[in-house]
Amino acid sequence: MIIFLVRRLVSLAPTLLGITLVAFSILNLLPEDPGATWRGAAPSAETVQRLRTELGADRPTLARYGLWLGALLRGDLGRSLRDGRQVTSILAEALPWSLLLNLGAICLIYGFAIPFGLYSALVPGSRADRIGAVLLLVLYALPSFAAALLLQETFAVRLGLLPLQGVSRGPDGATPVDLLRHLVLPTVCLALSGWAFVARYARASFRSAMGQEFLRVARSKGLSRWRAARHLTASAAVPLVTLVTVILPGLVGGSVIVEQAFSWPGLGRLYLAALEGRDYPVVLALTLLSAVAVLLGQLVTDLFYMVVDPRLRQRLLAGSSGA
Amino acid sequence: MPDSSAPGARGPGAAAALLLALMLFGALAPLIANDRPILATVSGRAVWPALADLPIVGAWFETDLVRQVAWDPPGPGVRVLLRPPVPYSYRGVDLDEVLRPPGRRHLLGTDSLGRDLLARVIHGTRPSLLIGLGATALALLVGGLVGACAGLRGGLLDVVLMRLADIVACFPPLVLALAFITASGRGGVTVIMAAIALGRWTGTARFVRAEILRHAGSDLWAAARAAGGSLPRVALRHLAPLMLPSVAVIAAFGVAHAIVLESSLSFVGLGVAPPDPSWGLILAEARPAMDAAWWPVLFPTLALLLVLGALCLVAERAAGRSGARASTPL
């Protein structure tokens, strides 16, 4: 297990390096000089020169990459061009909000997708199953920003049930209940597409699992459908967890849209603001972080899979000791 | 994974037909919703003003006469013979008709500048489809080339290219597209296409590489090679046709993804530039007036749903009910 973990981490290193390279080279297409975007009216030529030196903009690209990478390894992401604050502290402020939103969405996705898939696999062809299938297709095809507007229009504007946007009513309203109320719409919105995806997958995989020999035997010996479902869940639900790696890029990217639509003070909204203000160090850090988040998600899923599936664990261990 | 060894399913054909129909609809939008008539006479001479707004062939109908005459209301000496079914332009601002609810004059109502929403939704098809198809074509081309190079060459090139694909696949496509558009100084349909394709070629590359490796040992392959076919030739003439049905499925899903990305970019203000309508942009413009009007929110959403739902449905049928994953969340 430890051996596997170490090997896995080592194999991640080149990918991580590649991620930094890709992020850096895309952002270096920037036609403008990062030194000239410092906020304030017409900086003097001297200031611009000083900033250029400070930011390393007067050096060749490769040297800049080296400098940036070196700083990155020391945990230094540079300073924001907007207000001169450390990028790390800006990110640290926004990160909890995004984590809350994304973890909430993942819980929501699985909390609803697996029971849904199980139910529709147990009663295939029923009216509920068919209506569910259409509903899933609709939700699957609904882009998150459109879903956000529909949810806001319905639940906040017309019905007035939930707050329209933001994280709290005001400085005095920052209670847990108030936070939860603000969390509902963005989380649901972020979860919709992934939920539809996982549920459709769950439906198919539960249904094919229903045809397995051991279940047919169990059913023919008089086990009820619902009891049989218990045996089914373990074998068919575990692979569904690996789908996290598939939905993760969509979730992280979708946060940008959802956070913007709901004025949620997370990393996604920070990203858009940084793009608009050409806040180069913040944009670079966030681009990097999005890919690293996806990579970490893959790693965690791998480990989870190893923990729950003894067969895989044995195979991997045999493989690693043989190598 | 869709079973590519079983071609002949009707699915890919249906996907192609749907895409073609949507393209045609987008291209003909100026004839469906336009404040200029399709056919009119100006002092006895027949002109085709609406046709002048068509893509590509439009310039041919854009005569001096068409440009100078007022159409709405008709100027002196003008006789309108045939108007489009929706007699409004997508950019015809009318401040007396701001935020009118759906009714007889405006079937889907008007937006906060008094523009006819139906006309805007119809014209919104064009940028969405154009960018969706363009970006997907680009992604398929790049992905196909990378996958083919990796699969045919093997060795170090294979390792490097596939590692690159793995790395790029870590980035959420939307994040990549946003960064690319901002970094390249924004603007232009081609930039948006490239930005979307940037994050979407990796799947195709993996698929093409896997297919090549799968077939590389087959009798078909050996026979074609023995007959003297060069590697690229064998791949193109004998393998590509085998992959075509699966590629159609990938393309249909790809177009759906690209449309979602395009409209998301437009929604946050980094996509299609106003006054051109994109469904994402119409929705972004509907946001400030949300508490006064629901129709600018609902109808573009329905248009998106209709097109994306149809694309996904057709693509899934084509992919077959193999029970395996044929797509990723949009």
Side-chain angles (χ1 to χ4, degrees):
Chain A
M1 184 74 192
I2 306 274
I3 301 172
F4 170 77
L5 185 61
V6 170
R7 275 162 50 109
R8 191 73 177 71
L9 282 175
V10 168
S11 77
L12 279 187
T15 313
L16 270 175
L17 191 69
I19 285 174
T20 62
L21 194 61
V22 168
F24 188 83
S25 38
I26 287 174
L27 267 302
N28 259 282
L29 295 170
L30 267 176
E32 291 161 42
D33 196 328
T37 37
W38 194 290
R39 187 168 265 192
S44 69
E46 196 179 296
T47 316
V48 170
Q49 190 50 46
R50 186 175 55 79
L51 277 174
R52 280 172 57 90
T53 320
E54 203 176 299
L55 294 163
D58 50 355
R59 292 174 213 235
T61 313
L62 204 60
R64 283 217 309 274
Y65 175 65
L67 280 179
W68 175 69
L69 199 62
L72 187 67
L73 287 176
R74 292 192 305 272
D76 177 14
L77 287 164
R79 284 163 180 278
S80 160
L81 296 183
R82 249 182 73 204
D83 47 16
R85 290 172 57 207
Q86 284 289 333
V87 175
T88 34
S89 70
I90 299 178
L91 295 194
E93 261 168 39
L95 183 68
W97 294 111
S98 286
L99 275 181
L100 188 64
L101 197 60
N102 279 279
L103 292 179
I106 289 179
C107 292
L108 214 58
I109 287 172
Y110 280 94
F112 278 94
I114 290 181
F116 185 95
L118 199 58
Y119 178 77
S120 58
L122 286 174
V123 287
S126 71
R127 184 178 293 169
D129 178 34
R130 277 182 312 203
I131 293 175
V134 174
L135 184 75
L136 283 189
L137 184 73
V138 169
L139 291 182
Y140 178 69
L142 187 66
S144 55
F145 63 91
L149 286 185
L150 280 184
L151 287 173
Q152 286 179 319
E153 182 77 64
T154 316
F155 292 99
V157 176
R158 302 289 148 193
L159 299 176
L161 287 176
L162 290 162
L164 182 67
Q165 55 185 24
V167 288
S168 73
R169 263 180 303 166
D172 54 330
T175 59
V177 177
D178 187 48
L179 178 63
L180 269 181
R181 275 167 50 83
H182 281 86
L183 191 61
V184 174
L185 287 186
T187 319
V188 168
C189 181
L190 187 60
L192 277 185
S193 159
W195 176 66
F197 173 72
V198 177
R200 285 154 73 77
Y201 199 88
R203 186 164 163 263
S205 89
F206 281 128
R207 192 172 284 183
S208 70
M210 281 298 269
Q212 275 174 21
E213 201 69 23
F214 79 91
L215 267 180
R216 278 224 296 279
V217 172
R219 291 271 283 129
S220 63
K221 285 172 82 174
L223 200 65
S224 80
R225 266 211 290 235
W226 307 101
R227 293 289 298 279
R230 277 185 39 202
H231 295 274
L232 192 65
T233 344
S235 67
V238 168
L240 293 176
V241 172
T242 52
L243 288 184
V244 164
T245 58
V246 184
I247 58 178
L248 212 52
L251 277 184
V252 175
S255 310
V256 177
I257 299 294
V258 171
E259 287 179 9
Q260 179 71 6
F262 287 95
S263 300
W264 192 259
L267 297 171
R269 209 166 68 126
L270 184 64
Y271 191 58
L272 280 179
L275 284 172
E276 203 173 329
R278 305 292 155 94
D279 196 346
Y280 177 79
V282 177
V283 171
L284 189 53
L286 280 173
T287 311
L288 187 69
L289 191 63
S290 72
V292 171
V294 172
L295 198 64
L296 280 182
Q298 287 172 5
L299 183 69
V300 170
T301 315
D302 272 9
L303 292 181
F304 173 81
Y305 214 10
M306 285 250 313
V307 171
V308 296
D309 192 339
R311 287 169 304 178
L312 191 70
R313 194 161 54 222
Q314 298 241 296
R315 198 157 58 222
L316 278 168
L317 285 182
S320 62
S321 60
Chain B
M1 185 176 190
D3 185 8
S4 58
S5 61
R10 266 184 313 161
L18 178 66
L19 283 178
L20 211 65
L22 283 171
M23 269 166 73
L24 209 62
F25 184 76
L28 295 182
L31 301 187
I32 302 167
N34 204 327
D35 55 353
R36 307 206 282 185
I38 295 177
L39 177 62
T41 58
V42 181
S43 26
R45 287 177 56 194
V47 287
W48 306 82
L51 271 62
D53 295 326
L54 287 177
I56 306 167
V57 294
W60 198 64
F61 293 97
E62 184 84 50
T63 57
D64 287 342
L65 211 54
V66 168
R67 225 171 298 142
Q68 284 154 12
V69 174
W71 301 106
D72 198 23
V78 174
R79 263 186 65 204
V80 172
L81 296 179
L82 181 61
R83 276 199 183 277
V86 183
Y88 300 101
S89 153
Y90 64 88
R91 52 183 175 190
V93 174
D94 184 352
L95 294 179
D96 295 330
E97 292 279 317
V98 169
L99 290 179
R100 287 292 152 99
R104 285 189 45 175
R105 265 173 67 82
H106 299 280
L107 282 179
L108 301 188
T110 62
D111 69 2
S112 46
L113 289 175
R115 293 173 294 195
D116 184 70
L117 206 57
L118 180 56
R120 285 184 71 71
V121 170
I122 290 173
H123 279 268
T125 318
R126 201 184 334 172
S128 296
L129 258 286
L130 182 70
I131 292 172
L133 286 169
T136 307
L138 200 60
L140 284 180
L141 192 72
V142 173
L145 275 178
V146 170
C149 285
L152 293 177
R153 252 310 169 80
L156 187 64
L157 188 70
D158 183 22
V159 174
V160 170
L161 286 179
M162 284 302 114
R163 203 23 104 80
L164 183 68
D166 285 346
I167 289 165
V168 173
C170 281
F171 289 91
L174 184 67
V175 171
L176 220 46
L178 284 168
F180 182 80
I181 289 176
T182 311
S184 60
R186 98 158 59 172
V189 169
T190 24
V191 172
I192 302 175
M193 281 184 197
I196 294 174
L198 190 65
R200 303 230 16 107
W201 58 270
T202 55
T204 315
R206 271 198 210 122
F207 169 76
V208 169
R209 174 179 173 275
E211 283 293 282
I212 285 180
L213 291 185
R214 193 159 74 92
H215 287 290
S218 70
D219 292 345
L220 169 84
W221 180 272
R225 287 287 281 153
S230 67
L231 268 183
R233 191 190 141 84
V234 172
L236 215 58
R237 287 291 301 271
H238 301 281
L239 281 193
L242 283 178
M243 293 183 211
L244 214 54
S246 305
V247 170
V249 173
I250 296 179
F253 275 121
V255 172
H257 272 109
I259 290 177
V260 171
L261 281 175
E262 179 275 323
S263 50
S264 302
L265 290 171
S266 298
F267 181 73
V268 297
L270 284 167
V272 174
D276 279 3
S278 143
W279 293 322
L281 192 60
I282 304 176
L283 282 171
E285 289 168 350
R287 219 162 90 91
M290 202 160 58
D291 46 353
W294 50 266
W295 48 96
V297 172
L298 184 64
F299 294 122
T301 305
L302 286 182
L304 268 170
L305 260 186
L306 207 65
V307 169
L308 294 174
L311 272 172
C312 292
L313 197 64
V314 166
E316 246 158 54
R317 283 275 158 79
R321 289 167 152 250
S322 52
R325 180 170 79 237
S327 64
T328 54
L330 289 177

